[in-house]
Amino acid sequence: MKKNTKLILIILIILILIALAILLVKFLSKPEYTLKDITSLIKTPQFTDNMYVKIESISTNHPNNSNSGVILEEFYILGNKQYLTTKSNDNLTQAELIDYDSKAEIQIDYTYKKINYFNVLKSDNPIMQHITSSITSYIGILNTAKNYKYLGKETLNNIEYIKFSINNELTYYINSQTNYIDKIEAYEGENLVWTLNYTYSYNTVTEDNILKFDINNYPDYEYIDSTIF
């Protein structure tokens, strides 16, 4: 009888050890951040009346794409004024100036030499919508992610980033200090297709950053007045 009790005890100990081993393997294999953790962690930037946003898109040469270049968008927000510039490979291509006090929106096309003048209300906020849609579109992709892989943490320019990939195509860098998306890389196989960088700063914009528009500075531009009130 004692022999049977001893055997049962040994079997129970073995089963407990196996269960503990399985739990340990599951614990060690679990990523530090799951996709659910990431989606609840990410925040969209806080928008204020004094902020600067830079969105830099860098295309990279790779076997399936001969194109390369940089598109740089810079947003300056100061009180009721907003100013956006777009550069392609260092050439200024477009600018947009909004003044909510005068309900005026001016779009300057430097490539085709056109100036469009619109009415605008603060409820419209086209520049803020542009920034927000650019960010939230990539957050939305996470909701349909088929393959998620936690890639650990990486320090760039003294900032720690949470790094992960989805769908074997997009790699995200989440700023550990702000929980903002600061960087996204797109891949085709092992080839880097493009990189998207976001930069934010607050209380750094002055009147010197906002364009002082004067129609006389554009004598050879086509002027289109699309105001309705």
Side-chain angles (χ1 to χ4, degrees), residues 126-140:
I127 288 182
M128 203 74 77
Q129 289 172 8
H130 179 88
I131 300 173
T132 304
S133 63
S134 174
I135 298 167
T136 55
S137 62
Y138 289 104
I139 295 177

Side-chain angles (χ1 to χ4, degrees), residues 134-224:
S134 174
I135 298 167
T136 55
S137 62
Y138 289 104
I139 295 177
I141 292 174
L142 299 179
N143 297 324
T144 58
K146 295 179 181 178
N147 296 294
Y148 167 82
K149 185 177 181 181
Y150 174 65
L151 301 176
K153 294 182 178 180
E154 183 173 337
T155 301
L156 300 171
N157 299 320
N158 297 319
I159 298 175
E160 183 183 71
Y161 289 96
I162 301 166
K163 188 176 176 182
F164 65 93
S165 67
I166 61 169
N167 300 338
N168 299 319
E169 295 175 349
L170 296 175
T171 297
Y172 289 69
Y173 294 75
I174 309 302
N175 189 317
S176 295
Q177 298 174 8
T178 63
N179 292 341
Y180 295 169
I181 298 173
D182 278 7
K183 182 178 181 180
I184 302 172
E185 294 175 336
Y187 290 85
E188 286 187 2
E190 296 182 354
N191 298 309
L192 179 63
V193 180
W194 54 255
T195 302
L196 194 62
N197 296 309
Y198 295 93
T199 303
Y200 313 92
S201 66
Y202 295 88
N203 300 317
T204 57
V205 179
T206 68
E207 286 287 351
D208 292 336
N209 299 122
I210 309 296
L211 175 69
K212 309 297 187 296
F213 179 77
D214 184 346
I215 190 63
N216 295 315
N217 294 331
Y218 307 87
D220 55 345
Y221 278 60
E222 178 185 358
Y223 182 81
I224 304 170

